[in-house]
Amino acid sequence: MASSASKHAFKKILASLPKPGGGEYGKFFSLPALNDPRIDRLPFSIRVLLESAIRHCDDYQVTKDDVEKIIDWENTSPKQAEIPFKPARCILMDNTGVPAVVDLAAMRDMMPKLGCDPYKINPLIPVDAVIDHAVRVDVAGTCDALDRNQELEFQRNLERFAFLKWASSAFHNMQVFPPGSGTVHQVNLEYLARVVFNEDGIMYFDSVVGTDSHTTMINSLGVAGWGVGGIEAVVAMLGQPMGMVLPGVVGFKLTGKPRDGVTTTDIVLTMTEMLRKHGAIGKFVEFYGIGVGELPLPARATIANMSPEYGATMGFFPVDQVALDYLKLTGRSDETVSMIEAYLRANKMFVEQHENETQRVYSSYLELDLSDVERCVSGPKRPHDRVPLKDMKSDWHACLDNKVSFKGYAVPKEQQDKVVKFDFHGQPAEIRHGSVVLAAICSSTNTSNPSVMIGAGLVARKACELGLVVKPWVKTSLTPGSVVATEYLKESGLQIYLNQQGFHVAAHGCATCVGNSGDLDESVAAAITENDIVAAAVLSANRNYEGRVHPLTRANYLASPPLVVAYALAGTVDIDFEKEPIGVGKGGKEVFLRDIWPSNKEIDDVVASSVQTHLFKQVYGSIMTRNSRWNKLPVPDAALYPWDDKSTYIRKPTYMEGMSMTPPGPPTVKEAYCLLNLGDCITTDHISYSGKIPLGTPAAKYLEEHGVDPKNFSSYGGRRGNNEVVMRGAFANMRIVNKLLGGEAGPWTIHVPTWEKDKKKLFVFDAAMKYKEEGHDMVIIAGGEYGSGSSRDSAAKGPMLLGVKSVIAKSFERIHRSNLVGMGIIPLCFKVGEDADSLGLTGLERYTIYLPTSITDIHPGQDVDVTTDNGKHFTCTLRLDTQLELEYFNHGGILPYMVRKLAGQQGK
């Protein structure tokens, strides 16, 4: 950039940034130097897109017209204007990053076959991969849980870890953090984030895309970042612009300050409910107002982290003094922080104080007085179904009564009070509907926040002092997203009390939050299954979709870490904490929640004394060398990965097999059968389950055929580097409901041609293979918010491998729609007011989609006619949203497009 600055289209606004003592920090593209009054009205988050477009403007990939669209955001964003965006860096996490790197390695492997240089396949932007290894918490309640779990993970995932270690040396610009480093989001927040880059004498805004939807946590530091699928990440890693629709921005004004006893988790669950009702799908949310100043940086991180749950692309907090103080706390040097502040002030991106009014313009507005927020949880099946804590008991009983739905279990009245007694390792135990059998402090959403972690420790300590103990059949675990969290819990002396209540540190990474909680005790599992008990899990995570947390916990509630401890102590969600005691303590005295709940001052005092800069420097100073198992791991010394055909973990994907240099053009979909007919809120957990691989399933049969012992099956998530498992894991969730089977839950469907004759249900994989053998296309019919949840590219790869050609839904989650396009699957939306039911579609029909055969005749968002073999006709909206997506579609997906593009560039 520095060498070409003299030829740059915007060289006139390239300015020097002086240092206070003389000299300069570097040069930067000055937004104020444009002298355009529209820029002052732009939301801060849009200004980041503007600076990126100006810096990359080459009138080829990024044009002056693109820059003008962003400057004129107030007028262009309502028109769904398309712009290119080049992020500054990319982050990967193991569960989603492995497939992305597998794709990258396969692309490199493909290049020699096309007569091209394989070394050209290297990330062009910095890539940080964290092996957040989604440990199964098989060992909990013992002091060596952490080491034992890491040992088990290395035994089960040696191939996967070795592959990533190979990638760290084989690819340019890629840094891989060892297992046990924490979640990628917290490592990003505490260590990786630059906020401002200063490279080759040019300064610019930090921005990032990541292969996990909760990449948005970094928005709390004023860094523009969001989740993408691994497919799209590969494109970004290779320096290609990401096509995106210029988003609307919801201005969220905060006033007041939180009441005593209210946690950040309560605030974010309240916001999630508000924003879901308001409508934030595909939009940025930008926080402003005097109330922002009342939120410490970790609280902002919790709020930003849950952007996917409230539907937004980002939840952006502009940089202020609170952010700068956090950078210093986490070990960034004074010189670096001074440089960041100087750049942001010069480019009018620093907030001096959080004003009540703003000259910025937003697409829509929301407001929350933080003093109105009350303690709450969310559930039992969705993160935006908030329940005030005072209403929890009545809401739970309503859920038992209600018909089966997001808020209902249809338990007959006469069975609602039944008590199941069982023997738990020689001692009497009992559970009933609402009994808590799993309690987990987990996920980077909350474990990035010292106030709620310290709060949980204080609740545990007070409970110990008053004589309360968690029942032994409640599976408890603590899996901080940051190693630093473990250090300050030790420093404060609170980890001892968490241990006494069963909350031992079991891992530094995702666990229960993605369904890797391990098995419940056999006696507990039997009591639940044999008596059809609606058991509960309470976790401090961001998602509680049915079937995600654990197959046996049909009720799952999100709660703050202190409330997780409280519910574990109570042993049930069927409790009114304001009126009923948690339990009986020393001397037979009843103990209430108010007796063990810490004040804000108590929490703040411990945070101030325990969360210190030296802990961050100590942890991150040794982060690359602290895992001895990783250090000893041998890896192949080769530019091309030596694929092992016998491997059941890492296999070269088939997505580019047989491709030629000529794009295949738009696919046809003729007389396709409906593979599944699904309802609303089908998540990527339903589509591509992460949890344990059960015996008897297609994936289990495949592994057994390849000599894998069932005890080493691991999880679907752990084996996503193998497309054979990805394909067999598609729609493998035990809680998915397929209307073709009359609402029965499970990973099954029907084979329509033989259904009337044999009434035989099949695993989805088996039915799809039957259709493929017969030469039939397949489609999926779905309701609203299809593909919500994690940014899981396997949720698009799996259906594509099964042979699905199109998904017809009421609406799509942003990342999943993009992933479908990336894999060549046609996303279609029913017209507003229509759906499968209103159109009388049963899923037993055959579907023909009428798309033009030439890509030049297709345009983003056009109407597409669909007919069925029984005479129905309806019109859908084609959800190819940008011209770049049309290019991907024409090539059969992103990966073939990139291979052809790179091969073509090398051939010139």
Side-chain angles (χ1 to χ4, degrees):
M1 174 61 73
S3 62
S4 61
S6 61
K7 302 177 183 178
H8 197 279
F10 287 89
K11 64 182 180 181
K12 290 183 179 179
I13 66 167
L14 193 64
S16 295
L17 186 64
K19 288 184 177 180
E24 69 174 31
Y25 289 113
K27 290 182 169 52
F28 71 103
F29 289 96
S30 170
L31 300 184
L34 287 170
N35 293 318
D36 194 320
R38 292 175 296 176
I39 294 175
D40 287 335
R41 294 168 61 84
L42 290 179
F44 284 118
S45 50
I46 298 299
R47 296 182 202 182
V48 177
L49 302 183
L50 174 60
E51 187 277 338
S52 176
I54 288 172
R55 181 164 34 90
H56 288 109
C57 186
D58 57 4
D59 276 333
Y60 173 60
Q61 290 186 330
V62 183
T63 68
K64 291 178 184 177
D65 184 54
D66 295 321
V67 173
E68 171 58 25
K69 287 178 187 176
I70 302 173
I71 293 175
D72 200 35
W73 168 86
E74 200 172 337
N75 296 312
T76 54
S77 65
K79 300 175 183 176
Q80 297 288 290
E82 179 186 349
I83 62 163
F85 175 63
K86 285 191 171 187
R89 57 193 177 92
C90 184
I91 57 173
L92 312 175
M93 65 182 294
D94 182 24
N95 247 11
T96 48
V98 168
V101 183
V102 168
D103 293 341
L104 207 61
M107 288 174 70
R108 176 185 274 187
D109 196 55
M110 186 73 180
M111 297 308 282
K113 299 172 186 176
L114 297 173
C116 300
D117 183 358
Y119 289 94
K120 295 291 185 181
I121 305 294
N122 267 315
L124 298 178
I125 67 169
V127 179
D128 295 301
V130 175
I131 303 188
D132 167 17
H133 49 290
V135 64
R136 281 182 58 199
V137 187
D138 287 323
V139 183
T142 58
C143 60
D144 65 344
L146 177 61
D147 185 67
R148 177 58 179 147
N149 273 327
Q150 286 193 349
E151 182 182 344
L152 288 170
E153 281 302 292
F154 264 82
Q155 291 172 5
R156 294 168 179 165
N157 299 290
L158 204 61
E159 288 181 59
R160 198 164 92 240
F161 294 169
F163 173 74
L164 282 175
K165 193 171 181 182
W166 165 82
S168 68
S169 59
F171 286 103
H172 166 72
N173 225 10
M174 178 177 286
Q175 180 176 219
V176 177
F177 290 78
S181 299
T183 66
V184 65
H185 312 307
Q186 282 193 243
V187 175
N188 193 20
L189 186 74
E190 297 172 354
Y191 182 64
L192 293 173
R194 277 77 154 184
V195 183
V196 171
F197 269 83
N198 193 344
E199 298 283 330
D200 298 325
I202 299 293
M203 304 175 69
Y204 53 95
F205 297 126
D206 188 1
S207 58
V208 61
V209 293
T211 58
D212 185 273
S213 50
H214 294 100
T215 301
T216 52
M217 175 183 269
I218 204 62
N219 304 157
S220 59
L221 267 179
V223 176
W226 54 85
V228 296
I231 309 160
E232 199 171 1
V234 171
V235 174
M237 288 155 64
L238 295 175
Q240 298 298 305
M242 297 167 51
M244 62 182 291
V245 172
L246 193 57
V249 183
V250 179
F252 202 133
K253 184 177 181 180
L254 301 179
T255 61
K257 63 183 300 183
R259 285 184 279 172
D260 196 50
V262 168
T263 70
T264 307
T265 313
D266 303 316
I267 295 170
V268 73
L269 294 180
T270 301
M271 289 177 169
T272 299
E273 180 186 47
M274 291 174 66
L275 282 159
R276 274 289 174 184
K277 289 180 179 177
H278 180 79
I281 300 291
K283 298 177 182 176
F284 291 175
V285 174
E286 185 166 300
F287 296 95
Y288 72 99
I290 199 73
V292 175
E294 298 293 335
L295 297 176
L297 196 289
R300 301 176 191 181
T302 301
I303 294 166
N305 182 290
M306 282 194 74
S307 296
E309 281 66 53
Y310 46 79
T313 302
M314 284 203 302
F316 192 82
F317 288 85
V319 176
D320 60 1
Q321 189 60 47
V322 171
L324 297 182
D325 291 343
Y326 180 82
L327 290 172
K328 291 181 180 179
L329 171 69
T330 50
R332 277 77 162 193
S333 69
D334 289 345
E335 182 180 0
T336 296
V337 175
S338 296
M339 180 269 291
I340 290 170
E341 181 178 1
Y343 172 81
L344 293 173
R345 287 184 180 278
N347 241 345
K348 290 193 174 182
M349 283 288 287
F350 187 82
V351 178
E352 189 64 57
Q353 57 184 4
H354 292 281
E355 66 278 9
N356 280 307
E357 301 298 330
T358 176
Q359 60 180 334
R360 295 182 298 283
V361 173
Y362 295 108
S363 308
S364 60
Y365 297 82
L366 270 179
E367 183 172 342
L368 174 64
D369 185 338
L370 294 173
S371 65
D372 289 339
V373 177
E374 58 185 323
R375 284 184 295 189
C376 58
V377 299
S378 279
K381 302 180 185 182
R382 296 189 300 187
H384 53 281
D385 290 331
R386 186 183 68 93
V387 185
L389 196 62
K390 66 179 186 296
D391 298 334
M392 183 58 182
K393 188 178 182 73
S394 60
D395 190 81
W396 171 249
H397 283 274
C399 286
L400 292 178
D401 286 332
N402 294 343
K403 66 180 182 179
V404 175
S405 64
F406 294 119
K407 294 287 289 185
Y409 294 100
V411 176
K413 281 283 188 186
E414 65 275 11
Q415 295 182 23
Q416 291 182 10
D417 296 325
K418 72 177 176 182
V419 178
V420 176
K421 297 183 182 295
F422 64 99
D423 179 88
F424 183 80
H425 299 280
Q427 58 180 303
E430 62 180 45
I431 60 170
R432 61 188 72 201
H433 295 303
S435 285
V436 174
V437 296
L438 197 60
I441 300 173
C442 59
S443 167
S444 52
T445 310
N446 287 285
T447 61
S448 67
N449 191 334
S451 67
V452 292
M453 296 296 284
I454 294 295
L458 289 171
V459 167
R461 186 179 75 183
K462 291 178 182 234
C464 289
E465 291 169 348
L466 293 174
L468 292 185
V469 181
V470 173
K471 299 291 190 298
W473 54 84
V474 179
K475 185 165 189 175
T476 50
S477 63
L478 170 59
T479 53
S482 169
V483 179
V484 179
T486 298
E487 296 303 316
Y488 64 65
L489 285 172
K490 288 179 186 175
E491 186 103 350
S492 65
L494 294 174
Q495 187 61 56
I496 296 169
Y497 300 102
L498 286 164
N499 290 349
Q500 288 182 32
Q501 298 296 353
F503 290 94
H504 296 264
V505 176
H508 293 111
C510 295
T512 303
C513 47
V514 290
N516 286 305
S517 52
D519 295 326
L520 296 178
D521 186 89
E522 288 182 6
S523 63
V524 178
I528 294 170
T529 55
E530 292 170 9
N531 298 279
D532 198 23
I533 291 294
V534 184
V538 182
L539 62 159
S540 65
N542 38 43
R543 289 178 177 146
N544 55 334
Y545 301 121
E546 190 175 22
R548 176 184 175 101
V549 176
H550 193 283
L552 298 182
T553 59
R554 290 160 60 190
N556 302 283
Y557 286 93
L558 304 182
S560 65
L563 271 180
V564 170
V565 178
Y567 272 112
L569 290 163
T572 182
V573 296
D574 186 7
I575 184 173
D576 183 340
F577 277 132
E578 293 192 357
K579 299 175 181 177
E580 299 177 77
I582 291 178
V584 178
K586 294 176 181 177
K589 184 179 179 181
E590 291 184 336
V591 179
F592 290 81
L593 182 64
R594 58 180 174 269
D595 299 324
I596 61 174
W597 198 263
S599 67
N600 288 4
K601 185 178 185 307
E602 287 179 273
I603 294 172
D604 292 343
D605 287 347
V606 178
V607 170
S609 64
S610 303
V611 185
Q612 301 288 330
T613 301
H614 74 272
L615 297 179
F616 292 92
K617 289 184 175 180
Q618 171 187 313
V619 166
Y620 288 110
S622 62
I623 197 77
M624 300 303 292
T625 58
R626 61 191 296 129
N627 192 313
S628 59
R629 295 182 179 94
W630 173 264
N631 297 339
K632 297 173 184 175
L633 191 62
V635 296
D637 182 15
L640 296 179
Y641 187 71
W643 305 100
D644 181 0
D645 291 338
K646 296 179 181 179
S647 173
T648 57
Y649 268 107
I650 304 292
R651 294 175 71 89
K652 187 171 71 173
T654 58
Y655 314 127
M656 292 168 283
E657 283 185 0
M659 67 170 283
S660 66
M661 286 298 292
T662 304
T668 58
V669 182
K670 186 176 182 181
E671 296 188 343
Y673 282 103
C674 176
L675 183 61
L676 296 106
N677 183 2
L678 305 168
D680 294 335
C681 291
I682 296 299
T683 71
T684 51
D685 289 286
H686 290 115
I687 305 167
S688 180
Y689 186 48
S690 275
K692 182 180 177 181
I693 298 174
L695 288 170
T697 60
K701 292 174 184 176
Y702 165 81
L703 293 173
E704 286 179 314
E705 288 168 1
H706 284 75
V708 179
D709 191 297
K711 69 180 181 181
N712 295 322
F713 278 179
S714 187
S715 65
Y716 287 106
R719 292 185 179 273
R720 284 203 184 113
N722 182 346
N723 58 293
E724 295 290 342
V725 176
V726 168
M727 177 166 52
R728 288 163 175 79
F731 306 101
N733 192 311
M734 293 300 293
R735 295 295 174 190
I736 192 169
V737 175
N738 181 6
K739 294 180 183 178
L740 289 174
L741 288 170
E744 179 183 352
W748 300 285
T749 191
I750 65 172
H751 178 252
V752 173
T754 58
W755 173 248
E756 287 299 326
K757 179 180 178 181
D758 59 22
K759 299 296 181 184
K760 183 180 179 181
K761 68 180 183 182
L762 303 171
F763 281 111
V764 172
F765 169 79
D766 293 332
M769 293 303 100
K770 202 171 178 65
Y771 283 129
K772 285 184 78 171
E773 288 169 8
E774 296 164 350
H776 298 309
D777 289 342
M778 287 164 273
V779 300
I780 289 170
I781 304 296
E785 299 179 34
Y786 182 79
S788 55
S790 301
S791 58
R792 195 167 290 168
D793 57 354
S794 57
K797 289 178 174 176
M800 185 278 279
L801 291 167
L802 290 179
V804 172
K805 301 298 184 185
S806 176
V807 178
I808 309 173
K810 286 176 65 177
S811 63
F812 293 92
E813 194 276 341
R814 175 186 63 87
I815 301 174
H816 186 63
R817 184 204 61 79
S818 175
N819 281 336
L820 291 175
V821 175
M823 294 312 298
I825 296 176
I826 306 168
L828 296 177
C829 274
F830 291 109
K831 289 296 183 179
V832 175
E834 294 183 346
D835 59 17
D837 292 339
S838 69
L839 293 169
L841 304 175
T842 65
L844 298 175
E845 310 89 351
R846 299 183 72 174
Y847 296 79
T848 297
I849 298 171
Y850 292 91
L851 268 178
T853 56
S854 171
I855 195 67
T856 58
D857 296 327
I858 304 176
H859 57 83
Q862 75 179 55
D863 284 350
V864 174
D865 289 332
V866 183
T867 63
T868 67
D869 62 334
N870 61 354
K872 294 186 183 296
H873 174 274
F874 56 98
T875 303
C876 292
T877 301
L878 177 65
R879 288 300 311 278
L880 299 176
D881 291 355
T882 67
Q883 288 296 326
L884 190 56
E885 288 187 345
L886 285 177
E887 281 292 314
Y888 298 155
F889 185 63
N890 188 49
H891 281 259
I894 286 182
L895 300 179
Y897 167 83
M898 286 302 305
V899 169
R900 293 187 181 103
K901 183 177 176 66
L902 289 165
Q905 288 173 345
Q906 290 188 43
K908 290 180 180 179

